[in-house]
């Protein structure tokens, strides 16, 4: 083994061999990520059900040289481009996914490559601040797998933005010190890639960068104007790179259910104060191994950075505060403020910020703030490790010692009061790991490999391949060979694909099919997504999460039951569920199927128009309408076609793709055409390069007035049209 020397020395980690820190970190990453890299495990929950299908769809569209802006397979169709979380424009995810769009295994590998990129960036940050090689590696490992960075692997867009943070940190630090334009380019590009995911994590990163930039300008001693100009260039470059995403989201947002979040709705995603005990051990609530009895969400309420960071800080944090007070105080402030924010209404901080901080009312989970605690805690631990390597004399940070002692008593009290004494065992395991790693630092010769080995064991035990971030890969993938309701549903829908405008299904209790249908080009009238069309939600009533049963689906005035005419317009052919329901028959061993036979043609040619005030037609009259002959339009709609005795037309579907549709129309006179596909801002229709207005017909669908004659009618979803519509609005 090799002795770890002072900050200026380089030490080997594995025996007497000399390796670069990057190579050592990559080896550690590969070991920790082996279950995902080897294809044994998948990142579950939202990663498999929501984000993988979205990226799979977009990557497959690009492979076919088609635009991925509109996804017709979820909720009857929605503008995926405008979804702030679907990473449709994120090249670091989308480009590698094009190699194997339908592979959930490859998706997991791509996510883990982002985690490695975060570690390599953290390594560069630590090197930039002249930490020893052991401290660099320690810092990078905790950044990669500490706290919510590990527990929330399922939230892919947040992880992607978080993984950009170390490189953004490095670029801004070097820019502040050296004022080089190369660092402007690094910071601007990384900032733009980070901002392509409009999540609350990105919001905090942008806010932190803004605060850092203001402080840098105020505290700089020279070339202040140059620094201000360069920071402005960083913001401009990041804004240009991310502009297509935020323009699309802001343009579509007024049409959705997420125009604003109430305080009561937001605090539902707050950190439960009892979950602060996870700082002491990752198994205190058995959330990683066994049946969780956590008070909140086992993934979002997770603070375990490892036994080593906590032990190092408690025993050597006093030296860090004395010798580097600025570094220590900023990191401590970040942790304290983030935790207070994450607690939601339990403290005054979040309600106060929610009431005046612009943009905060668009997000629903205060616990997202815990992402910024990970690099802060890793930084404190690495600084304390550095202090220990330079001087073995203990220098406890007594305020932290007192707080942790009180938290330990609290955790023990909760465990005994709730009848879970096994929590004491997990606390003991973490304590033993902390004692062992501290003992290594108290030896005359520090065995760096042993220190890192204990850190890796800790992560393997509590933070990696646990129940909250790992599931069997084979169970997540739909195939026609395996049994089960998801596979049976897949066989039915795959067999019925016949081109043209698709007929649709609704899937209940089948998590694999919800959104996973988009991977296979299967059209659903429901889905899993927090962002929905407000009109669709009002009229159809499909919830934004997987529906637990047929009976739990909310009825609306327009869809009181599955005989509703609105379902005929949607082309809803199949109701699929696990639990039997009225009218269902059993398919295979466990799938319940109801096949509807009342669906309307996918393209209609009504001859008369009824007008309605407001956004939606009156439900009573709407449900009595003969849609083959009648079209509902808003009162204010202006068109060249008459409201009565409209022309008759023959229509044939020439080409149907996700973001384009081509029809051949032969109209005797100006005629109404209703395409029973959902409408949204951004759809453009053209005949011989002449644009036709795409109107909102029958509440949700695309209605057009086509001129007399034979024409090729082309519809396409245009981001530019979406942006212009949003700006006009």
């Amino acid at each position: 083994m090799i002795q770890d020397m002072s900050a200026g020395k380089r030490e080997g980690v594995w025996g007497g061999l000399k390796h670069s820190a990057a190579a050592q970190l990559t080896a550690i990453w590969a070991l920790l990520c082996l279950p995902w890299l080897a294809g044994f495990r998948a990142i579950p929950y939202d990663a498999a059900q929501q984000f993988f299908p979205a990226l799979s769809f977009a990557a497959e569209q690009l492979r076919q040289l088609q635009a991925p802006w509109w996804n017709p397979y979820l909720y009857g169709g929605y503008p995926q481009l405008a979804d702030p979380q679907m990473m449709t424009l994120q090249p670091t995810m989308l480009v590698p996914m094009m190699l194997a769009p339908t592979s959930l295994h490859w998706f997991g590998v791509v996510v883990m490559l982002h985690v490695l990129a975060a570690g390599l960036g953290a390594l560069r940050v630590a090197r930039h601040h002249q930490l020893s090689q052991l401290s660099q590696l320690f810092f990078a490992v905790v950044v990669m797998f500490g706290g919510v960075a590990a527990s929330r692997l399922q939230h892919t867009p947040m992880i992607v933005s978080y993984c950009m943070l170390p490189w953004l940190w490095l670029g801004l630090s070097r820019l502040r010190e050296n004022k080089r334009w190369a660092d402007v380019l690094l910071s601007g590009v990384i900032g733009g890639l980070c901002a392509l995911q409009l999540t609350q994590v990105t919001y905090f990163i942008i806010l932190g960068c803004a605060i850092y930039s203001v402080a840098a300008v105020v505290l700089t001693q020279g070339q202040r104007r140059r620094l201000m100009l360069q920071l402005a260039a960083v913001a401009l470059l990041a804004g240009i790179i991310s502009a297509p995403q935020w323009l699309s989201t802001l343009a579509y947002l007024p049409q959705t259910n997420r125009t604003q979040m109430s305080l009561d709705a937001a605090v539902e995603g707050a950190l439960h104060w009892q979950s602060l005990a996870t700082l002491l051990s990752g198994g205190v609530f058995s959330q990683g191994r066994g049946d969780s009895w956590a008070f909140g969400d086992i993934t979002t309420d997770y603070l375990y950075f490892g036994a080593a960071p906590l032990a190092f800080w408690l025993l050597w944090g006093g030296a860090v505060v004395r010798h580097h007070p600025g570094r220590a105080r900023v990191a401590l402030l970040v942790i304290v403020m983030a935790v207070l924010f994450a607690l939601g209404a339990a403290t005054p901080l979040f309600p106060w910020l929610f009431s005046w901080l612009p943009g905060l009312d668009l997000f629903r989970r205060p616990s997202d703030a815990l992402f910024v605690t990970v690099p802060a805690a890793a930084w404190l631990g690495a600084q304390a490790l550095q202090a220990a390597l330079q001087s073995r004399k203990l220098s406890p940070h007594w305020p932290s010692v007192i707080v942790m002692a009180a938290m330990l008593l609290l955790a023990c009290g909760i465990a005994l009061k709730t009848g879970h004494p096994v929590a004491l065992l997990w606390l003991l395991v973490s304590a033993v790991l902390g004692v062992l790693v501290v003992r290594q630092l108290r030896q005359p010769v520090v065995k760096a490999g042993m220190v890192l080995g204990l850190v890796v064991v800790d992560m393997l035990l509590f933070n990696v391949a646990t129940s909250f971030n790992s599931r069997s890969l084979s169970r997540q993938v739909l195939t026609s060979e395996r049994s089960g309701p998801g596979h049976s549903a897949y066989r039915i829908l795959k067999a019925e694909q016949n081109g043209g405008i698709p007929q649709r299904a609704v899937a209940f209790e089948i998590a694999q099919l919800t959104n996973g249908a988009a991977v296979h080009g299967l059209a659903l009238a429901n889905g899993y997504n927090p962002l929905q069309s407000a009109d669709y939600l009002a009229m159809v009533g499909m919830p934004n999460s997987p529906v637990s049963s047929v009976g739990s689906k909310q009825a609306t005035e327009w869809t009181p039951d599955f005989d509703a005419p609105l379902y005929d317009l949607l082309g809803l052919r199949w109701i699929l569920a696990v639990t039997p329901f009225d009218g269902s028959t059993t398919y295979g061993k466990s799938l319940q199927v109801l096949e509807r036979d009342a669906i309307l043609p996918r393209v209609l040619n009504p001859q008369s128009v009824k007008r309605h005030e407001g956004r939606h037609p009156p439900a009573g009259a709407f449900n009595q309408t003969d849609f083959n002959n009648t079209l509902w339009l808003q009162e204010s709609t202006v068109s060249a076609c008459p409201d009565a005795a409209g022309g008759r037309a023959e229509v044939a579907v020439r080409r149907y793709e996700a973001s384009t549709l081509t029809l051949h129309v032969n109209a005797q006179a100006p005629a109404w055409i209703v395409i029973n596909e959902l409408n949204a801002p951004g759809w453009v229709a053209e005949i011989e390069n002449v644009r036709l207005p795409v109107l909102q017909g029958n509440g949700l669908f695309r209605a057009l007035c086509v001129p007399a004659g034979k024409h090729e009618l082309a519809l396409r979803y245009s981001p530019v049209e979406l942006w212009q519509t949003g700006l006009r609005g």
Side-chain angles (χ1 to χ4, degrees):
M1 295 292 183
I2 297 176
Q3 183 176 4
D4 186 308
M5 307 299 285
S6 62
K9 304 285 185 177
R10 290 184 179 272
E11 71 288 330
V13 176
W14 314 117
L17 299 176
K18 293 183 179 180
H19 298 282
S20 71
Q24 294 166 14
L25 182 67
T26 302
I28 293 171
W29 166 83
L31 175 62
L32 290 171
C33 296
L34 185 59
W36 295 287
L37 299 180
F40 302 133
R41 312 291 283 179
I43 307 171
Y45 307 125
D46 286 1
Q49 295 181 27
Q50 186 176 7
F51 303 121
F52 162 63
L55 277 167
S56 173
F57 164 78
E60 184 61 34
Q61 291 299 303
L62 291 177
R63 275 167 56 108
Q64 297 175 13
L65 302 180
Q66 299 174 19
W69 314 141
W70 180 267
N71 187 331
Y73 303 120
L74 306 178
Y75 293 109
Y78 88 110
Q80 181 167 302
L81 170 69
D83 194 310
Q85 297 190 94
M86 289 309 175
M87 300 168 287
T88 307
L89 297 172
Q90 178 54 257
T92 63
M93 287 295 298
L94 190 57
V95 172
M97 279 301 296
M98 290 176 65
L99 297 176
T102 62
S103 173
L104 183 56
H105 171 214
W106 178 240
F107 170 80
V109 172
V110 174
V111 173
M112 290 306 169
L113 287 171
H114 281 75
V115 173
L116 175 60
L120 294 173
L123 206 62
R124 294 291 300 274
V125 169
R127 186 186 308 167
H128 177 73
H129 289 282
Q130 299 183 327
L131 297 185
S132 69
Q133 187 163 314
L134 177 58
S135 299
Q136 294 172 26
L137 288 165
F138 173 80
F139 175 64
V141 171
V142 178
V143 165
M144 288 193 296
F145 296 108
V148 291
S151 68
R152 296 187 67 178
L153 275 176
Q154 62 163 311
H155 294 133
T156 310
M158 293 184 178
I159 291 294
V160 170
S161 290
Y162 169 78
C163 290
M164 305 285 177
L165 177 58
W167 292 99
L168 192 53
W169 182 351
L170 176 67
L172 290 176
S173 296
R174 296 199 312 196
L175 179 60
R176 177 178 60 85
E177 295 170 8
N178 304 318
K179 302 176 180 62
R180 297 182 306 185
W181 286 99
D183 295 320
V184 171
L185 181 63
L186 172 64
S187 302
V189 171
I190 296 298
L193 294 176
C194 176
L196 283 171
Q197 291 74 231
L198 302 183
T199 69
Q200 190 164 202
V201 173
T202 307
Y203 180 89
F204 290 132
I205 291 174
I206 293 173
L207 187 62
C209 289
I211 295 172
Y212 180 90
S213 299
V214 171
V217 170
V218 171
L219 298 176
T220 191
Q221 299 299 315
Q223 295 184 301
R224 182 172 294 174
R225 289 185 178 178
R226 178 183 176 90
L227 180 59
M228 291 176 63
L229 177 63
Q230 289 176 324
L231 289 171
V234 169
L236 178 62
L237 180 57
I240 291 172
I241 292 173
S242 59
Q245 184 60 69
W246 54 261
L247 278 173
S248 301
T249 299
L250 293 177
Y252 182 58
L253 199 61
Q255 312 292 323
T256 74
N257 60 327
R258 292 295 293 273
T259 54
Q260 190 177 35
M261 183 70 62
S262 69
L263 177 60
D264 289 341
V267 296
E268 290 178 1
L271 170 72
H272 290 235
W273 65 267
Q274 297 95 330
S275 297
L276 294 172
T278 59
L279 184 61
L280 303 173
S281 175
V284 67
F285 298 120
S286 299
Q287 63 267 57
R289 311 290 178 189
D291 296 327
S292 171
W293 56 280
F295 291 87
D297 189 303
I298 63 173
T299 63
T300 61
D301 292 9
Y302 192 73
L303 283 165
Y304 190 62
F305 310 112
L310 184 58
F312 293 163
W313 178 252
L314 292 179
L315 297 182
W316 284 282
V320 179
V321 171
R322 283 196 305 274
H323 298 298
H324 303 287
R327 296 180 183 180
R329 288 168 185 167
V330 169
L332 281 171
L333 180 64
V334 167
I335 293 173
V336 171
M337 294 295 288
V339 169
L340 291 176
F341 182 98
L343 286 168
T347 75
L349 180 62
F350 178 77
W352 176 65
L353 290 173
F354 192 85
S355 66
W356 69 268
L357 194 60
L360 195 56
D361 59 358
L362 295 175
F363 304 104
R364 61 189 175 99
R365 201 159 36 205
S367 59
D368 289 350
L370 296 181
F371 268 96
V372 300
T373 66
V374 182
W379 183 246
L380 290 177
Q383 293 287 340
L385 172 58
Q386 186 77 1
L389 293 172
Q390 292 173 340
S391 173
R392 308 294 164 75
K393 183 179 179 181
L394 296 179
S395 180
H397 186 251
W398 289 109
S400 296
V401 171
I402 294 171
V403 171
M404 290 303 105
M407 194 173 293
L408 178 60
L409 292 174
L410 175 65
C412 293
I414 292 173
L416 295 174
K417 183 178 180 180
T418 56
H420 292 90
V422 70
L424 304 182
L425 176 61
W426 289 118
L427 288 167
L428 179 61
V429 170
S430 294
V432 168
L433 287 169
V435 169
L436 290 176
V437 77
V438 168
R439 285 193 62 184
Q440 286 299 313
L441 295 183
R442 299 287 288 162
Q443 299 297 320
V445 176
V446 176
K447 297 178 180 178
M450 186 64 72
V451 172
L452 280 176
L454 288 168
V455 172
V456 169
V457 168
D458 196 6
M459 293 298 178
L460 284 170
L461 187 59
F462 292 111
N463 284 19
V464 175
T466 56
S467 62
F468 48 61
N469 59 22
S470 176
R471 286 288 190 276
S472 168
L473 176 65
S474 61
R475 294 184 180 180
Q476 305 285 335
V477 178
L478 284 174
T479 66
S480 58
E481 292 80 19
R482 296 189 61 202
S483 62
H487 305 285
S488 298
Y490 172 75
R491 282 195 293 273
I492 290 175
L493 300 182
K494 201 68 176 177
E496 294 290 342
Q497 285 186 314
N498 53 13
I501 302 177
Q503 298 174 0
R504 293 188 156 77
V506 174
F508 298 94
E509 310 167 90
I510 308 174
Q512 293 166 306
L513 193 61
T514 308
N515 283 30
V519 178
H520 308 283
L522 307 177
L524 295 185
N526 65 324
Y528 177 29
N529 196 38
L531 186 73
Q532 277 189 262
S533 162
D535 291 332
Y536 191 80
L537 189 61
M539 293 189 70
V540 184
M542 289 297 179
N544 57 18
S545 59
V547 189
S548 59
S549 67
V550 174
S552 65
K553 188 268 175 189
Q554 179 183 359
T556 73
E557 295 180 78
W558 295 270
T559 57
D561 52 45
F562 284 113
D563 292 327
L566 184 54
Y567 288 133
D568 302 338
L569 289 166
L570 276 170
L572 182 60
R573 171 69 73 183
W574 301 275
I575 316 297
L576 307 171
V578 175
T579 305
F581 57 94
D582 289 345
S584 68
T585 58
T586 303
Y587 178 89
K589 294 182 178 179
S590 54
L591 181 67
Q592 300 296 316
V593 180
L594 171 62
E595 184 170 353
R596 303 176 72 255
D597 57 6
I599 62 172
L600 288 163
R602 311 306 292 127
V603 180
L604 300 173
N605 171 221
Q607 278 76 56
S608 64
V609 172
K610 288 186 177 181
R611 301 280 179 167
H612 64 89
E613 298 179 353
R615 293 195 61 82
H616 310 126
F622 183 87
N623 291 339
Q624 301 298 319
T625 301
D626 177 2
F627 292 102
N628 284 296
N629 296 312
T630 303
L631 164 67
W632 284 92
L633 291 175
Q634 290 181 316
E635 188 67 45
S636 58
T637 301
V638 177
S639 176
C641 285
D643 280 10
R648 295 192 176 275
E650 297 177 357
V651 183
V653 177
R654 295 293 197 200
R655 183 181 179 190
Y656 179 87
E657 295 173 347
S659 297
T660 60
L661 174 63
T662 304
L663 305 174
H664 177 74
V665 180
N666 183 4
Q668 300 172 352
W672 287 108
I673 297 297
V674 178
I675 303 166
N676 285 327
E677 291 277 273
L678 295 190
N679 191 32
W683 277 104
V684 173
E686 293 179 331
I687 287 180
E688 298 163 356
N689 296 320
V690 177
R691 283 201 176 188
L692 303 179
V694 183
L695 308 174
Q696 194 89 348
N698 294 331
L700 296 173
F701 304 96
R702 303 172 206 162
L704 300 101
C705 173
V706 297
K710 295 182 179 181
H711 309 285
E712 292 293 312
L713 172 61
L715 289 92
R716 57 184 173 85
Y717 196 77
S718 165
V720 175
E721 178 68 17
L722 172 63
W723 304 339
Q724 292 175 343
T725 302
L727 292 174
R728 288 197 300 266

